[in-house]
Amino acid sequence: MVSIQQAEPAPALISAPVPSTKPAHRAIDLVKGRTTSPAVGNLPLLRGPRNGDTRTAVIVFGQGQEKIVAVFAEVLGKSYRVRNGFRDVSSDDRDLVVGIAATQAKSDIAARDRTSIVAINVHCTSMGMPPDAYLSAQCDYEFLYTEALCSRRDISRFVSHTLGQLNHHETLMAKPRTYFISTTFPDVHAALPNIDILTVGADAVEIRVDLLKEPLADGTYAPVPSLSYVGEQVMLLRQRTELPIIFTTRCTAENGRFPMDNPDLYYEYLYRAIQWGVEYIDVEIWLPERIRRRLYEQRGSSRIMSAFHDFSGTFKWPSARAEATFRESARFADIVKMIAIINDHNENFELEYFRSKIKAEYPDAPPLSAVNMGETGQFSRTLNRVFTPITHPLLPIIAAPGQLSASEINQALALLGQLPRKNIYGINTPSSRISTPQAPFYGKCFNELGLPHHFSVVERPLKGFASVEAWCNQKNFGGAYLYPAVSFQHLISNSAFFASINNGTGPILSDSVKLIGMVDTIVVQSKGSFSASPALSSAPSSPGRHQNSESIGSVALSQSGLPPTTVLVFENAAWKGILSTLTRDFAPSAYSGRAAVVLASNSDDAASPLLALKALMVSKIYTVGFKASPAVARDFNLEPFDSLESMQKARTNDAYPANHGASPFVVVSALAPEKSNLVGMLVRVFGSRGPSTFRKVFLDLADGSFPRKGDPKLIAEQCGFAAYGAEDVMAFTTVETLRLLVGQNVPYSFVRLASGRPMF
C-alpha cells in the first residue's frame, strides 16, 4: 500500500544535550578484508572488491575468435597480446592478458606454470561444436558465449567471480534471511521470459541439472543431459540474471533424476560447474568422501553447499544421527543443507532445538540451512534463515513437497507476528519530486513479496528536519530513504530526537556514513542485531541546546514513540549503486591503481562517488567544482584541478600502459543538468586520442528528465567511453535500499523492468 503525502507540522521536541561518545572499533581492510587498526582520523575502511587472482590470465580461443581476447582485456583493464603457446608466456606478460589459439594451446597447456598462469578456455557455442574436451579438462576455467549475445557484463561477472575480485557469499550470509528459487524447467529457455518476476525475493537461482531434458535427433531425450547441453543452459541463465547460480545434480534417491550408479559422473559435472564460474555447487553427502574432498579443495571462488535429504519419514532431529550428519557435512562445505520429511507438527520444534544446539555447540561451523518437507513441515520454512528453498506460481512444478513462495513465507511470518506491519517512507524535498514515481514501484514490490508494510512518499522542507524526526519517532516506523541524501551531522545537531536515541549516544553509523558523512537510508534494527557488527558504531553526537541534561533527556525519551527495543541505523546506499554500475561491464581490477575525475558543485554531492571509487582502489581522484571536507580529504587521495595547467598535466599522461595510473580512466559527474556543456567539455579533454581499443568509463549522475544543452553520455561514447547514467545508478541503489529496509532482494533486472527500461 502506498501513498503520497505533504509534510505535516512536526510536534515540538525538547532538545537534550548528549555526551559525545566515540567507542573503539576495529576496521576492515578494503583490499584484503583483514582486520586492522582504525584508519586515519578514526575512520574505518570498507569491505570492497579484492585484488583476487593476480596470475597472468591466458585466454584460449577458438578459430576466428581472436577478438574475444581484446574484450577480456578491456574488462580487466589491461592490454593484450597473442602468443604461439604457453611456452612463450613470460614474466613480461604479467600485466597483460594473453591470447593463445586453441590449436596451439593443446601442444603445451599441460606443462604450463600453474603458479603464474590462470588458463581460461573460451568457447563460442555458435560454432555448433562442443568445447574441446582436452582443453576443458586442462584449463582452470571455461567461459561459454554466443556471438550474438556475448556482452561485457557476462565477462565481467565471470572474471570478477572466478578471479576472486568480488565475493557475493559474504554479502549474502550477512543478510538476516536468504532464499533461493529452483528453476524446474526442462529447458531454461522456458524460464527466461518470466525470470525477472520469478526471482523477486530470491537471492540465488538454482538450476536443476537432473530435470533438464536434452532432445535427441530421434525425438527422444537423453537419459542424462550432456555436458555441452548443460553448459549452454548455464550460459543462458547467467545471461539473463545477475543473481548467483546454484548448480544441482539431484540423485534419484533424493527426489531427483540423476542416476546413482556412477559417482564419478557427479564429479565430472560438478567440477565443470566450478570451471564455468557457478557461484554455488550442491554436493550430496552420499557421494564418496574422495569426491567431496576433491571438489571442496578445487572449488576456487565457488562455494560448496553440502546437501542431505531424507524421504523415509524416520529421520529424527534430536537423534545422534542428525548431529553426525551435520558434522560430516560440515567437513567439506561452506553451507550445510539438511532436509527431512516429517509426520508430526511437533517435529518442527525439534528442528528448531537442533538448529539452536548446532549454533551453540559449533559456532565456527558453516551456516545451516534446515527445513522439513511436506505440508506438515511448512512451518519450518518460515523459521529457516539461510537459503530457504522457495517456489513460484509460474514454475511448472515445485522442486520439493511443501515448498512455499517468498510471498507465502512473508505472509505467514506476518500472521505469526514475526513480520509486523511498518510504515516506510520515501522522504523527498520539493525540488526532488521526480522521485515520487518510486511510490508505485515500492508498492508493487511489497505486493509481490507479500509484505504487510505501508509505503508513503513525503516531503520535507529543504533545510528543515523537524518533519523527518516526526516520521521516524513512531511506534510503527519501519525505515526510510532520503532523497537527496543528508549530512548526518545536520540531522543530529538539528534534532533532539536523533541526538537522544540509543540512550543518548545517537543513531548507529555504518562505515560508509562514517567515511563520507552522508545518510540516504534510515534502517530500523533491534538492539541485539547490531552489537556484534564491526561496521556499525554510535554517532558522535552534537551538544544540545539545553543545560539540564538529565531532566530534559528523560522527558525527550519518554515522549519518543520509537520502541525502546529498537535503534536507528544511518546508512548510505547510493555508493553501492554507483559501485554496481561501474562494475557491471568492467571487473574491479580495471579501476585498481587508476586515476579518476569527479565533478560536483559541493562535497555532499561528491560523497557517494568518492566512496565508490575508493572501494575500487582508485589511486588518485582529481576534483572539479568542490572542496572536500577535511575528514574526506584526509582519507582520500584527492588533487583539485585548480588551473588549466594541472588539467593538461593529467591529460598528457595518456600513454597506456606506461602511465596508465596517472591519466584519468573514469570520469564521474554529479553536476546539475544545466551544466552539461561543462561536463561535455571535460569529457572531450580526457577522451581517447588516436587509435585505441582501450575504453574509459563515464558516469553521469544528473537527472536525465530535465532539459539540458547537449548530452554528455553521447559525447562520452563518441570519445571512447563506456557511458552510464543516473537511471542505472538509481536502479542499483533501489536494489540496495530495499535490502536495507526490508531485508529482501529485488533483482536489478526487475527494477529496470518495472521502471519501463528493460535490462536486456
Side-chain angles (χ1 to χ4, degrees):
M1 186 175 183
V2 298
S3 62
I4 302 174
Q5 304 175 1
Q6 299 294 323
E8 300 177 355
L13 294 176
I14 303 176
S15 300
V18 182
S20 176
T21 58
K22 295 182 179 181
H25 60 274
R26 305 184 77 189
I28 302 298
D29 187 289
L30 177 66
V31 178
K32 297 184 179 178
R34 60 177 181 270
T35 305
T36 66
S37 301
V40 178
N42 292 324
L43 293 176
L45 295 175
L46 297 175
R47 185 182 296 277
R50 294 163 168 79
N51 286 331
D53 193 334
T54 58
R55 292 178 294 172
T56 301
V58 174
I59 308 301
V60 178
F61 60 91
Q63 184 178 1
Q65 299 296 311
E66 180 179 334
K67 59 186 177 181
I68 196 68
V69 181
V71 183
F72 266 84
E74 184 177 309
V75 168
L76 288 167
K78 298 182 178 183
S79 291
Y80 76 96
R81 65 177 51 153
V82 176
R83 298 292 193 186
N84 294 323
F86 282 91
R87 61 185 175 278
D88 294 334
V89 181
S90 67
S91 58
D92 294 338
D93 301 318
R94 181 176 179 83
D95 295 323
L96 304 175
V97 171
V98 176
I100 302 177
T103 53
Q104 296 173 316
K106 293 179 70 172
S107 63
D108 61 354
I109 186 173
R112 76 184 187 278
D113 181 4
R114 296 176 181 267
T115 63
S116 62
I117 293 175
V118 53
I120 302 174
N121 186 36
V122 179
H123 178 74
C124 179
T125 61
S126 304
M127 307 300 289
M129 295 291 291
D132 184 279
Y134 179 74
L135 289 176
S136 296
Q138 287 294 327
C139 284
D140 299 287
Y141 300 105
E142 184 170 80
F143 179 76
L144 305 178
Y145 71 101
T146 57
E147 286 187 303
L149 295 177
C150 182
S151 68
R152 287 175 175 81
R153 185 188 72 90
D154 298 328
I155 296 176
S156 175
R157 172 176 174 173
F158 175 81
V159 297
S160 296
H161 170 72
T162 55
L163 301 185
Q165 296 184 20
L166 289 176
N167 189 324
H168 297 288
H169 180 66
E170 292 180 2
T171 302
L172 290 180
M173 292 303 100
K175 286 189 60 183
R177 285 180 180 271
T178 48
Y179 301 98
F180 73 87
I181 188 166
S182 179
T183 55
T184 55
F185 294 94
D187 186 336
V188 168
H189 283 94
L192 300 183
N194 297 313
I195 195 70
D196 301 324
I197 298 174
L198 282 171
T199 53
V200 172
D203 297 282
V205 183
E206 181 184 42
I207 180 169
R208 282 287 300 269
V209 176
D210 58 296
L211 298 182
L212 296 176
K213 299 176 70 174
E214 180 183 8
L216 301 177
D218 60 1
T220 62
Y221 295 96
V224 176
S226 66
L227 275 173
S228 60
Y229 180 79
V230 173
E232 291 187 26
Q233 295 280 298
V234 171
M235 174 193 69
L236 289 169
L237 184 59
R238 182 160 51 197
Q239 288 174 345
R240 289 300 303 267
T241 179
E242 74 271 19
L243 295 181
I245 296 174
I246 302 173
F247 188 93
T248 300
T249 51
R250 187 71 64 233
C251 70
T252 54
E254 298 193 357
N255 203 36
R257 297 178 182 173
F258 224 68
M260 302 178 64
D261 55 343
N262 182 13
D264 290 322
L265 183 68
Y266 285 79
Y267 171 80
E268 185 179 358
Y269 279 70
L270 296 176
Y271 178 64
R272 188 61 57 85
I274 294 174
Q275 291 181 298
W276 289 331
V278 176
E279 288 83 358
Y280 290 94
I281 312 298
D282 185 292
V283 180
E284 295 175 337
I285 192 175
W286 70 268
L287 288 169
E289 178 181 323
R290 60 178 176 83
I291 291 179
R292 292 186 289 119
R293 180 191 297 274
R294 191 176 180 188
L295 288 169
Y296 185 76
E297 293 173 347
Q298 296 176 326
R299 72 191 189 283
S301 296
S302 299
R303 293 293 177 263
I304 301 297
M305 183 182 295
S306 180
F308 165 81
H309 296 77
D310 188 282
F311 288 84
S312 67
T314 61
F315 181 85
K316 301 299 179 183
W317 292 104
S319 66
R321 179 193 173 194
E323 187 171 352
T325 299
F326 175 83
R327 288 199 307 268
E328 180 61 27
S329 299
R331 293 177 61 201
F332 310 114
D334 300 288
I335 295 176
V336 173
K337 183 170 69 171
M338 298 178 63
I339 298 178
I341 198 163
I342 60 172
N343 304 301
D344 185 85
H345 178 67
N346 289 327
E347 293 179 80
N348 290 312
F349 299 106
E350 293 176 348
L351 167 56
E352 294 316 303
Y353 176 77
F354 175 80
R355 198 191 311 274
S356 62
K357 178 182 179 182
I358 292 298
K359 185 176 181 180
E361 297 183 4
Y362 303 92
D364 299 324
L368 171 64
S369 172
V371 298
N372 290 321
M373 288 181 285
E375 290 187 8
T376 308
Q378 287 180 331
F379 178 68
S380 69
R381 296 180 184 271
T382 67
L383 301 178
N384 183 61
R385 293 179 176 271
V386 179
F387 269 152
T388 302
I390 58 174
T391 186
H392 194 280
L394 294 177
L395 289 174
I397 59 173
I398 60 173
Q403 271 190 0
L404 301 170
S405 67
S407 176
E408 290 172 325
I409 291 177
N410 288 329
Q411 291 173 19
L413 289 171
L415 290 173
L416 293 169
Q418 301 301 304
L419 188 61
R421 184 178 186 272
K422 298 291 184 180
N423 294 324
I424 298 176
Y425 297 97
I427 303 177
N428 300 331
T429 61
S431 61
S432 62
R433 291 177 181 172
I434 189 65
S435 295
T436 300
Q438 287 181 308
F441 170 74
Y442 274 78
K444 190 172 185 178
C445 287
F446 289 178
N447 290 335
E448 185 70 24
L449 291 167
L451 297 173
H453 309 313
H454 177 271
F455 180 81
S456 300
V457 173
V458 295
E459 289 184 1
R460 67 168 179 85
L462 186 60
K463 296 184 178 180
F465 299 101
S467 54
V468 176
E469 62 185 43
W471 290 313
C472 297
N473 189 15
Q474 301 179 32
K475 179 181 179 181
N476 294 325
F477 176 62
Y481 72 76
L482 293 87
Y483 187 83
V486 178
S487 164
F488 85 83
Q489 292 286 8
H490 289 168
L491 276 177
I492 295 174
S493 61
N494 291 284
S495 169
F497 165 69
F498 287 123
S500 64
I501 61 176
N502 197 21
N503 296 324
T505 60
I508 306 303
L509 303 183
S510 69
D511 280 352
S512 58
V513 173
K514 283 184 283 188
L515 272 168
I516 61 178
M518 301 301 294
V519 180
D520 62 21
T521 312
I522 301 176
V523 182
V524 179
Q525 289 188 1
S526 62
K527 283 192 173 181
S529 63
F530 68 86
S531 58
S533 174
L536 303 172
S537 67
S538 299
S541 305
S542 302
R545 296 187 291 270
H546 291 268
Q547 299 299 318
N548 189 344
S549 62
E550 291 187 11
S551 60
I552 297 298
S554 60
V555 171
L557 288 172
S558 66
Q559 292 182 347
S560 172
L562 194 70
T565 57
T566 61
V567 294
L568 301 183
V569 179
F570 282 0
E571 269 282 6
N572 186 285
W575 80 272
K576 288 189 176 180
I578 295 172
L579 179 70
S580 296
T581 301
L582 293 177
T583 54
R584 183 186 171 199
D585 299 314
F586 292 86
S589 61
Y591 299 88
S592 180
R594 309 301 299 272
V597 178
V598 175
L599 300 86
S601 298
N602 54 70
S603 59
D604 288 352
D605 291 344
S608 295
L610 288 175
L611 185 54
L613 293 171
K614 182 181 180 66
L616 289 170
M617 295 171 278
V618 167
S619 62
K620 176 180 286 188
I621 302 175
Y622 297 101
T623 63
V624 180
F626 69 97
K627 183 179 181 180
S629 64
V632 171
R634 182 173 58 244
D635 243 41
F636 294 76
N637 184 13
L638 305 181
E639 180 178 322
F641 277 150
D642 50 13
S643 66
L644 291 176
E645 288 76 12
S646 61
M647 189 179 301
Q648 181 63 23
K649 180 181 178 181
R651 181 172 180 258
T652 55
N653 287 323
D654 210 15
Y656 182 85
N659 294 317
H660 84 277
S663 176
F665 168 70
V666 55
V667 176
V668 180
S669 172
L671 293 176
E674 58 267 21
K675 297 183 179 180
S676 58
N677 281 342
L678 173 62
V679 179
M681 180 195 72
L682 200 70
V683 166
R684 287 189 179 95
V685 169
F686 292 107
S688 298
R689 294 178 294 156
S692 173
T693 60
F694 191 80
R695 299 176 71 190
K696 297 184 177 183
V697 179
F698 172 68
L699 176 59
D700 186 9
L701 299 177
D703 190 342
S705 62
F706 288 96
R708 60 172 66 188
K709 295 181 180 180
D711 185 352
K713 283 181 60 180
L714 180 60
I715 296 173
E717 290 171 350
Q718 294 171 345
C719 294
F721 285 85
Y724 308 95
E727 65 276 6
D728 298 296
V729 174
M730 183 61 73
F732 278 119
T733 301
T734 301
V735 171
E736 183 61 27
T737 301
L738 282 165
R739 287 175 181 170
L740 291 171
L741 291 178
V742 298
Q744 303 274 324
N745 185 58
V746 177
Y748 167 82
S749 55
F750 180 80
V751 177
R752 293 303 300 267
L753 179 68
S755 65
R757 298 173 181 269
M759 182 176 175
F760 304 98

